[in-house]
Amino acid sequence: MIALIQGSQWLLQIPETWRTLSIQFAISATVFGLILLRDLLRKGGSRPPLGGILLGITFDLLPWLLLSWAGQRLAAGVVPVALCSVPLLLALDSQSSFLRNFSIAGIAGMVLAASSALELRADQWARLLALGAAIALLAFSLAYARRLLVSGVPLAPLLFVEHATAAAAFWLFSLRLPSPHLAAAPPLAALLISALAVNTAAAWLTWWLLAQRDAVRVAALVWPQMVVTLSLSAFLLRQQPGWLMFAGAALMLVSFLALWRQDGKETLIFRVTPAS
């Protein structure tokens, strides 16, 4: 579901401007706020998690700013390859060579699939640094959100604070700065669909999975998402995908399935010794 929603959102053709992003996050924050209000009326009050403010900045605002600026001059395949490296960045902190090896395989799959659109030049180092900073922020945010959720922070309050923070931040930027993407205002229906599907449903499912599984496996959802995007673009735009794209997509799917077949739980070993 997450891969299908996020991998097909480009079909709505919504320009990512300060104002459109603010509206989308405001809509999702309203939905999560209503869920939070319902829970408060049923169970009693609890303080909103302040960690959501940090996530609104490090997971929503700053990565978008850095990716938007870096992606303006980099080749089309560089940003997707960088996004596919988030699981590896998280796996570097793990003691599991299994996680690291399949994280590398997932990146290799994206490199194969996007090989025709990869080009790096020496004068792009500043944008590559910005891209690296965005990837580091996304990895940090997933690890931090995982820690919050495991500690018992409920989903609705966390997502409400995060998305309300992001909505306010993007709205403030829209008042002070010109948008990096100049485009006509999209239809309100498309904005509503995107907000409810991507910012609400996919975000809820992602954070729910993050409460159940480690951050590396949840970050690996970007691989099937890329496969969905590549498949839809090839089919709808009537492109002729080469064998490298097929091989890369297959490698990303195999790597994702291999990671998710492992339950991510510690194995307990019981040793039976004869009684003395």
Side-chain angles (χ1 to χ4, degrees):
M1 285 285 292
I2 294 170
L4 287 174
I5 291 172
Q6 294 184 334
S8 60
Q9 63 174 313
W10 64 274
L11 296 174
L12 294 172
Q13 298 293 310
I14 297 177
E16 290 187 330
T17 65
W18 305 121
R19 195 170 298 276
T20 57
L21 288 166
S22 176
I23 292 172
Q24 290 178 84
F25 277 108
I27 293 172
S28 59
T30 301
V31 175
F32 295 131
L34 292 174
I35 296 173
L36 173 59
L37 179 61
R38 183 204 62 184
D39 292 342
L40 290 176
L41 294 175
R42 289 182 178 179
K43 305 175 185 177
S46 62
R47 295 178 61 183
L50 296 181
I53 298 176
L54 181 61
L55 287 174
I57 297 171
T58 62
F59 189 72
D60 300 314
L61 175 66
L62 291 180
W64 182 85
L65 289 174
L66 293 168
L67 290 172
S68 177
W69 181 75
Q72 290 177 1
R73 296 291 179 87
L74 295 174
V78 175
V79 173
V81 169
L83 289 174
C84 287
S85 68
V86 174
L88 177 60
L89 201 58
L90 289 164
L92 292 177
D93 191 41
S94 171
Q95 300 298 321
S96 171
S97 59
F98 176 87
L99 291 179
R100 292 193 296 271
N101 291 339
F102 276 99
S103 296
I104 293 172
I107 299 172
M110 189 65 230
V111 170
L112 286 175
S115 58
S116 62
L118 287 177
E119 180 185 355
L120 296 177
R121 298 196 307 269
D123 60 348
Q124 295 176 332
W125 62 269
R127 295 182 187 273
L128 291 173
L129 286 176
L131 188 58
I135 301 309
L137 283 170
L138 291 173
F140 161 79
S141 300
L142 287 171
Y144 179 66
R146 163 74 176 169
R147 189 174 69 176
L148 290 177
L149 293 167
V150 169
S151 68
V153 173
L155 276 174
L158 181 62
L159 283 165
F160 167 71
V161 175
E162 176 198 339
H163 286 217
T165 301
F170 280 115
W171 178 71
L172 289 174
F173 273 99
S174 72
L175 297 178
R176 295 291 181 181
L177 296 174
S179 179
H181 302 290
L182 299 178
L188 184 59
L191 272 178
L192 185 60
I193 292 172
S194 178
L196 293 178
V198 180
N199 293 60
T200 306
W204 178 279
L205 289 172
T206 302
W207 258 218
W208 177 80
L209 279 176
L210 198 56
Q212 318 298 323
R213 308 295 290 271
D214 60 79
V216 178
R217 290 174 171 84
V218 174
L221 285 164
V222 70
W223 301 335
Q225 174 191 334
M226 292 298 177
V227 173
V228 171
T229 300
L230 291 171
S231 301
L232 286 175
S233 60
F235 176 74
L236 295 177
L237 302 179
R238 298 187 177 182
Q239 299 175 346
Q240 294 295 328
W243 69 269
L244 286 176
M245 183 177 291
F246 283 116
L251 186 54
M252 283 190 283
L253 288 178
V254 168
S255 302
F256 173 75
L257 292 174
L259 285 183
W260 275 81
R261 285 193 65 182
Q262 297 284 326
D263 59 8
K265 298 177 182 177
E266 296 180 358
T267 302
L268 299 180
I269 301 176
F270 295 91
R271 183 171 299 164
V272 179
T273 57
S276 58

